[in-house]
């Protein structure tokens, strides 16, 4: 293509590892024209990031790249570092996912903004400073003069990502590569950053490559989509036509992976399972000898929850909203104030010993499928651990039979029960965690972001499984998530939390179609724009 | 910042107090006393001596007396050399130990730091492997093996340096002790520096700097090195305190009249005040250097400034 | 699409099995492990097979250099004969060597007592001395004696003791102290650190404050005090060393315990209602074992160095027992005349330390969960 500013042809990226050569990218070709936004979509491990890292000469030391990456007549592959540095940061720049760590913590924002400007444009520091402040205004950072003297740790994630964008754009590049720039941010911030980037791209007329796993974002920002899987491009085309008419089965699967369906509310006279009234949790921060009194932080502030049998309450909020803390307090895993009644019994004042028999009825599935399984126990041992506590009399043979049964229920091959967690994929691990919860036949399960660490497709399968289990066993769920699409598919009642307080609650239709509170509206706008 | 320093100094006082207390009683529990060594010492003379030094008082009384004197900056007399006070003995020994330890420390930090950086920049290449080999050797072979070998080759066979002695601080006399003091420290610094530099080079903000096309110099020196210095700084504090207060082994082997050698001698002879003095001096050094490290840390890393 | 792998049933590979496989692939660590076993067997069994006791003193072989051929060397015979004859208080006329025997002709102003052969036997060079011929007046006697062949592969020390045997016996002491004191340090450190990490809160604060204070106590002082207090007793020695080196272990274990306590799998177990003991046994101990094993292998060389260091200062193992530190100290005092006295013990000590370090590094690489 004549007007292409970056032309990739047959790019291969390999990594030397202890287990041999790993082919991360297996011959990818693509073009980016001036002023267009191309989204590269794929799940983790698809090679989408490594493709662009390789092009930019940023591979880890055990990685190699082959092929042609032509930028306006120069092949970037095989260029010396000095030559590459005349293009990198000047003509092509890149920003990354981790806003918390992508800036040098030891230098001020101003310092870090000025450095690449001086380096590439060879202008004086005062001129560069003026340019830096101009850039800060461009990315809409309040009070830029003062902010120049701030350190990264004094800024929020969203602000840092704005600074990253300012740094990347300060030298008027032709092409900006953005590697999942919004993934680590809360949804409302995510929306702001996306808006900013789309606006800047149009205003500055630069090309943009947007790497993401999130189809929602693609629809919003990109003109063209490249779908990658296992290091290869499986499909590419206009965003509209891909979304309207996907050809490759993988693309179809990706588009279908958005969780669908709704949950019917429980019968009106279904009995109450859990009734928490005015639950509050306070954390002490700091304090101690000579350090003065500790800072008190109200993580949960007088929140009441009523959960009926067969019901799923979705608790929604951004990080720090207190949703996980609330759930743990309701399970009596954290000290709290307020009344908690479980099946007609006040459990708020029970001690550890008195609480233990009740634990059989109340289970929890945690977010991190890697961290929530003990790495030194087999899947079978993990699943049956609860039986050791609550049914100590049964024989090991019976335990094994129960493990098989539970694993079958979560659709995991019971033959795998002697394997260790590291031998399973993320989705499989989450199934093990669910099996550990249901083997005790609980009445209530708290699901704390059970799908957040998983790829979209696997996410859909886990949601399907959770819904089936609920119907089969008449379970009640407290479903905690920041992902409104998932909550919409799972819950029949939604509670929105912010800063430890309950902002709004109601049925999914009430909340999602007709949000009353400002915060909820912003949340909706960000998730379903 | 100033408040932080003051708070740290205030917490140092109870620490020092506990150290003095533990040391005092631990030493007194051990059998023997300063005047038991010389057999056949006339019991009357012994009693007299003990009265002069208040050793006939109750242990508690002695302890309180010692504390009181200490608060006034008085370390007391020595038992093994009656003509000197503890303070005077330190005035002689400490400068010697500080000179040797200081030189060893500076060399270890400079050379070890440089080696560590070189290794990190050439990870898994021959430069890296040679630094690792040197560091492994340096930290594995004990000083009491290296020191005699140094004497054997460079002093006895080649006759480049004297076998030992202080020689009134002649440079040639310091070479052996400084080198043997330096080597293990150098090895540890090189290892630490290599590790933290590699970690630093892999950090996200270095990736950002590369993506922005900054020069290697700016990336390595300005961004990677500054962060990588932090673990080395926190190691250097206690290491400095240990080095500057003298090494028992090196001073013994090279016959250097420093604090370390005196200390062993004093301990063996139950020279209570001398031993206590050494403990206090070492603890003071340790506390001060830990404080210096914390302040340096705050200078290098803005994130800890408001702690 | 499903994420269930259709793999045949098989037993899982635990992290321990993985680590073991990785350790076996690490050449330096494996060679070191074999070397260490070799040294250990050599030191334990060796002294029974060497032809000397570690306490036996050979007066005629003071500071003889190491040699693969037998002693006495031909050039030493003259001196040995002269010495032996002088001790018998007779005069040497001549001597000759024939068929591996030595024939000595002596004279005296007084008649020679036949019991003088005992003086010849008393020399460590000769044995079975007997009178072959005697002049009629008894003033001249021809003796024969076997030459006792002795091997000193590592030479002998100042008092004429076999260095090979002494080095091996010293190895027993050094390795035993290393292992026992290492164990003492690990036990104290693990219990203390685990208590601090597990009980948390105020207890943790107090326990760790104590460790901080002990850290700023001059460590040499501590050891020397303990050694003085225990009266230089070999058995109690390792207690002293172990009691000092547990501090690092306590810190490491506490840190690990704290981080394990925060792991989601512990939270999950708490939510299951698992008791404290259950959490400790099933979750904490297995995950703590890795770092403890790694640290233990790194602790043993530290202990050996510390013991050698004390022995070097004369505060450790006492004569006639020896440890490598004792021997190195003697070697250092005999430079440059008898360098082998420094060389062999240093070689044994240093190679053992290297082997232990390589094993420790290998274990760390094998067990470090960062790889995953």
């Amino acid at each position: 293509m004549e007007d292409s500013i970056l032309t990739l042809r047959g790019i291969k990226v390999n990594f030397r590892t202890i287990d041999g050569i790993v082919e991360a990218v297996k011959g990818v070709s693509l073009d980016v024209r001036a002023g267009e936004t191309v989204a590269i979509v794929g799940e983790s491990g698809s090679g989408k990031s490594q493709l662009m890292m390789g092009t930019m000469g940023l591979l880890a030391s055990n990685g190699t790249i082959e092929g042609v990456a032509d930028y306006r007549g120069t092949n970037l592959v095989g260029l010396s570092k000095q030559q590459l540095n005349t293009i990198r940061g000047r003509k092509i720049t890149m920003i990354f996912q981790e806003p918390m760590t992508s800036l040098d913590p030891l230098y001020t924002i101003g310092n870090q903004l000025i450095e690449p400007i001086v380096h590439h444009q060879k202008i004086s520091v005062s001129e560069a400073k003026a340019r830096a402040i101009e850039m800060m205004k461009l990315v809409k950072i309040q009070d830029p003069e003062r902010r120049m003297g701030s350190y990264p740790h004094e800024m929020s994630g969203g602000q840092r990502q704005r600074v990253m964008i300012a740094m990347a754009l300060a030298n008027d590049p032709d092409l900006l590569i953005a590697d999942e720039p919004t993934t680590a941010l809360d949804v409302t911030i995510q929306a702001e950053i996306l808006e900013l980037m789309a606006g800047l791209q149009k205003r500055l007329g630069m090309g943009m490559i947007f790497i993401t796993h999130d189809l929602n974002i693609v629809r919003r920002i990109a003109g063209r989509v490249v779908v990658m899987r296992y290091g290869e491009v499986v499909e590419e085309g206009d965003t509209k036509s891909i979304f309207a008419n996907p050809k490759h089965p993988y693309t179809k699967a990706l588009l279908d992976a958005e969780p669908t369906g709704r949950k019917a509310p429980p019968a009106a006279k279904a009995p109450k399972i859990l009734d928490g009234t005015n639950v509050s949790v306070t954390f002490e921060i700091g304090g101690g000898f000579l350090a003065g009194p500790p800072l008190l932080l109200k993580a949960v502030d007088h929140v009441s929850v009523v959960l009926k049998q067969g019901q799923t309450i979705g608790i929604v909020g951004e990080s720090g909203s207190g949703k996980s803390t609330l759930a743990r307090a309701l399970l009596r895993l954290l000290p709290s104030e307020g009344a908690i009644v479980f099946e007609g019994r006040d459990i708020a004042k029970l001690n550890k010993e008195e609480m233990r028999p009740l634990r059989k009825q109340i289970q929890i599935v945690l977010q991190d499928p890697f961290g929530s399984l003990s790495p030194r126990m087999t899947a079978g041992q993990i699943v049956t651990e609860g039986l050791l506590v609550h049914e100590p009399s049964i024989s090991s043979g019976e335990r094994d039979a129960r493990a098989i049964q539970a694993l079958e229920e979560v659709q995991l091959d019971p033959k795998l029960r002697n394997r260790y967690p590291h031998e399973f994929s993320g989705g499989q691990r989450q199934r093990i965690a669910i099996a550990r919860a249901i083997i005790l036949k609980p009445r209530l399960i708290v699901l704390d972001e059970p799908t957040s660490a998983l790829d979209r497709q696997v996410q859909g399968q886990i949601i399907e499984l959770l819904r089936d289990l609920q119907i089969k066993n008449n379970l009640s769920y407290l479903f905690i998530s920041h992902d409104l699409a998932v909550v919409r598919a799972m819950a029949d009642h939604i509670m929105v939390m912010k800063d430890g307080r309950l902002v709004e609650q109601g049925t999914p239709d009430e909340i999602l179609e007709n949000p009353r509170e400002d915060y909820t509206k912003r949340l909706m706008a960000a998730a379903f724009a | 910042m100033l408040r932080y320093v003051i708070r740290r100094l205030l917490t140092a006082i109870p620490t020092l107090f506990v150290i003095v207390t533990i040391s005092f009683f631990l030493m007194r529990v051990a059998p023997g006393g300063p005047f038991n060594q010389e057999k056949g010492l006339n019991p009357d003379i012994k009693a007299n001596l003990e009265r002069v030094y208040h050793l006939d008082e109750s242990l508690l009384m002695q302890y309180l007396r010692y504390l009181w004197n200490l608060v006034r900056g008085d370390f007391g007399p020595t038992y093994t050399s009656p003509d000197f006070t503890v303070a005077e003995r330190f005035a002689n020994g400490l400068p010697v130990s500080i000179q040797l330890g200081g030189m060893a420390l500076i060399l270890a930090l400079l050379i070890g730091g440089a080696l560590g950086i070189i290794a990190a920049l050439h990870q898994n290449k021959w430069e890296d492997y040679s630094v690792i080999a040197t560091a492994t050797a340096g930290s594995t072979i004990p000083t009491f093996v290296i020191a005699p070998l140094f004497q054997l080759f460079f002093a006895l066979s080649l006759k480049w340096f004297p076998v030992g002695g202080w020689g009134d601080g002649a440079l040639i006399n310091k070479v052996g002790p400084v080198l043997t003091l330096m080597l293990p420290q150098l090895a540890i610094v090189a290892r630490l520096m290599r590790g933290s530099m590699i970690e630093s080079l892999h950090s996200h903000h270095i990736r950002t700097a590369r993506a922005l096309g900054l020069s290697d110099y700016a990336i390595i020196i300005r961004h990677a090195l500054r962060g990588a210095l932090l673990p080395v700084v926190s190691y250097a504090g206690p290491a400095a305190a240990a080095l500057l207060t003298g090494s028992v082994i090196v001073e013994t082997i090279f016959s250097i009249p420093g604090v370390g050698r005196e200390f062993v001698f004093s301990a063996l002879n139950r020279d209570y005040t001398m031993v206590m003095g050494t403990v206090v001096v070492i603890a003071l050094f340790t506390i001060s250097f830990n404080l210096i490290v914390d302040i340096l840390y705050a200078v290098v890393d803005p994130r800890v400034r408001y702690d | 699409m499903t994420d269930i792998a259709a793999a045949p049933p098989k037993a899982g590979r635990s992290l321990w099995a993985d680590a073991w496989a990785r350790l076996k692939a690490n050449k330096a660590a494996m060679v070191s492990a074999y070397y260490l076993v070799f040294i250990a067997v050599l030191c334990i069994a060796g002294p029974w097979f060497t032809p000397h006791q570690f306490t036996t003193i050979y007066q005629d072989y003071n500071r003889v250099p190491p040699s693969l051929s037998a002693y006495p060397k031909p050039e030493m015979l003259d001196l040995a004969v002269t010495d032996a004859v002088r001790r018998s208080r007779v005069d040497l006329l001549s001597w000759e060597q024939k068929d591996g025997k030595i024939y000595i002709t002596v004279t005296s102003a007084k008649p020679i007592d036949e019991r003088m052969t005992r003086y010849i036997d008393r020399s460590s060079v000769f044995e079975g001395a007997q009178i072959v011929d005697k002049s009629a007046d008894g003033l001249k006697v021809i003796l024969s004696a076997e030459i006792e062949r002795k091997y000193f592969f590592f030479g002998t020390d100042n008092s004429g003791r076999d260095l090979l045997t002494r080095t091996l016996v010293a190895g027993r002491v050094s390795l035993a102290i290393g292992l026992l004191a290492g164990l003492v340090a690990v036990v104290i450190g693990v219990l203390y650190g685990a208590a601090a990490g597990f009980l948390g809160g105020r207890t943790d604060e107090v326990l760790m404050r104590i460790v901080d204070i002990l850290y700023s106590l001059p460590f040499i002082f501590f050891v020397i005090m303990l050694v003085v207090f225990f009266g230089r007793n070999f058995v109690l020695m390792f207690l002293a060393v172990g009691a000092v080196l547990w501090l690092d272990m306590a810190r490491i274990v506490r840190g690990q315990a704290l981080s394990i306590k925060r792991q989601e799998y512990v939270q999950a177990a708490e939510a299951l209602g698992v008791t404290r003991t259950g959490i400790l046994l099933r979750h904490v101990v297995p995950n703590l074992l890795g770092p403890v094993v790694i640290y233990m292998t790194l602790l043993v060389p530290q202990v050996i160095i510390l013991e050698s260091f004390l022995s070097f200062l004369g505060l450790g193992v006492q004569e006639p027992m020896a440890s490598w530190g004792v021997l190195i100290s003697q070697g250092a005092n005999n430079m440059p005349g008898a360098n082998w006295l420094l060389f062999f013990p240093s070689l044994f000590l240093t190679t053992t330390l290297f082997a232990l370090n390589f094993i420790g590094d290998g274990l760390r690489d094998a067990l470090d969960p960062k790889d995953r």
Side-chain angles (χ1 to χ4, degrees), chain C residues 234-351:
Chain C
F234 161 70
V235 185
L236 292 173
M237 167 99 174
F238 66 81
L239 271 176
V241 176
V244 168
L245 287 176
W246 62 272
L247 294 174
D248 287 322
M249 188 83 236
R251 281 197 167 173
I252 288 171
V253 169
R254 170 182 173 268
Q256 285 289 322
L258 279 180
S259 97
I260 291 172
K261 213 164 74 165
R262 276 195 295 269
Q263 294 291 317
E264 285 203 341
Y265 57 78
V266 173
Q267 284 184 30
E270 276 169 2
L272 281 174
V274 178
T275 55
R276 246 190 157 131
T277 333
I279 289 178
L280 207 65
L281 289 182
R282 276 196 296 279
H283 298 284
V284 179
V285 171
N287 286 296
L288 212 56
L289 227 49
V292 170
V293 168
I294 293 167
Y295 191 69
M296 170 107 191
T297 45
L298 296 175
L299 192 66
V300 172
Q302 278 187 44
V303 175
I304 293 179
I305 289 182
L306 182 56
E307 180 278 318
S308 304
F309 161 82
L310 286 173
S311 297
F312 187 94
L313 291 177
L315 293 171
V317 175
Q318 301 294 311
E319 287 282 349
M321 265 320 255
S323 75
W324 285 333
V326 173
L327 296 184
I328 291 171
S329 153
Q330 287 170 358
N333 290 331
N334 283 288
M335 296 184 311
N339 292 335
W340 61 90
L341 287 177
L342 176 65
F343 178 71
F344 286 106
S346 299
L347 185 74
F348 270 68
L349 174 67
T350 311
T351 50

Side-chain angles (χ1 to χ4, degrees), chain C residues 55-324:
Chain C
T55 44
T56 312
I57 292 170
Y58 300 103
Q59 286 167 354
D60 296 271
Y61 297 121
N62 278 346
R63 299 227 281 183
V64 297
S67 165
L68 287 176
S69 55
Y71 280 97
K73 304 283 174 198
E75 68 273 12
M76 294 171 72
L77 279 176
D78 188 48
L79 188 67
V81 171
T82 325
D83 269 4
V85 170
R86 197 181 53 233
R87 274 198 294 269
S88 323
R89 270 166 278 164
V90 289
D91 300 318
L92 178 65
L93 200 64
S94 69
W95 64 273
E96 60 172 345
Q97 197 185 353
K98 216 159 65 186
D99 310 329
K101 274 192 165 190
I102 194 151
Y103 294 90
I104 309 169
T105 315
V106 292
T107 58
S108 177
K110 289 181 279 179
I112 295 171
D113 188 341
E114 286 195 17
R115 284 175 299 183
M116 69 151 285
T117 54
R118 287 187 205 159
Y119 290 102
I120 305 290
D121 276 345
R122 207 171 281 172
S123 151
S124 34
V125 181
F126 308 112
E127 62 183 351
Q130 49 189 307
I131 305 229
V132 189
D133 196 14
K134 197 171 174 182
S135 65
D137 54 5
L139 295 180
K140 182 176 167 189
V141 163
I142 300 177
L143 301 146
S144 81
E146 304 274 348
I147 298 173
E148 224 180 319
R149 302 205 158 265
K150 290 202 171 67
Y151 288 90
F152 297 109
F153 298 118
F154 285 9
T156 61
D157 68 6
N158 268 349
S159 14
R161 292 175 294 191
D162 178 39
L163 186 63
L164 172 62
T165 316
R166 284 185 70 72
T167 305
L168 297 182
V169 169
R172 283 181 183 173
V173 173
S174 286
L175 289 175
I177 290 183
L179 215 60
L180 290 175
L183 218 57
V184 171
V186 165
V187 169
I188 302 177
V190 168
L191 291 179
Y192 195 95
F198 262 85
L199 301 176
R202 275 258 167 264
T203 326
D204 178 34
E205 229 170 84
V206 171
L207 287 178
M208 280 301 121
R209 193 91 198 109
I210 293 174
V211 168
D212 283 346
I213 289 171
L214 291 180
Y215 256 110
S216 37
L217 267 187
F219 141 94
I220 306 272
F221 162 80
F222 221 54
V223 180
I224 290 175
M225 278 298 107
L226 286 168
V227 169
V228 167
F229 186 55
F230 285 136
R232 300 186 193 177
N233 181 325
F234 161 70
V235 185
L236 292 173
M237 167 99 174
F238 66 81
L239 271 176
V241 176
V244 168
L245 287 176
W246 62 272
L247 294 174
D248 287 322
M249 188 83 236
R251 281 197 167 173
I252 288 171
V253 169
R254 170 182 173 268
Q256 285 289 322
L258 279 180
S259 97
I260 291 172
K261 213 164 74 165
R262 276 195 295 269
Q263 294 291 317
E264 285 203 341
Y265 57 78
V266 173
Q267 284 184 30
E270 276 169 2
L272 281 174
V274 178
T275 55
R276 246 190 157 131
T277 333
I279 289 178
L280 207 65
L281 289 182
R282 276 196 296 279
H283 298 284
V284 179
V285 171
N287 286 296
L288 212 56
L289 227 49
V292 170
V293 168
I294 293 167
Y295 191 69
M296 170 107 191
T297 45
L298 296 175
L299 192 66
V300 172
Q302 278 187 44
V303 175
I304 293 179
I305 289 182
L306 182 56
E307 180 278 318
S308 304
F309 161 82
L310 286 173
S311 297
F312 187 94
L313 291 177
L315 293 171
V317 175
Q318 301 294 311
E319 287 282 349
M321 265 320 255
S323 75
W324 285 333

Side-chain angles (χ1 to χ4, degrees), chain A residues 474-495:
Chain A
N474 201 11
L475 291 168
S476 308
Y477 288 153
L478 271 180
F479 189 90
I480 298 160
S481 181
H482 68 277
D483 187 342
L484 288 165
V486 176
V487 173
R488 178 169 61 180
M490 279 293 293
D492 54 61
H493 184 88
I494 294 180
M495 297 169 68

Side-chain angles (χ1 to χ4, degrees), chain A residues 415-428:
Chain A
K415 285 176 191 153
L416 303 178
R417 69 184 177 284
N418 284 333
R419 295 202 180 178
Y420 289 84
H422 64 272
E423 299 172 284
F424 291 97
S425 71
Q428 287 175 318

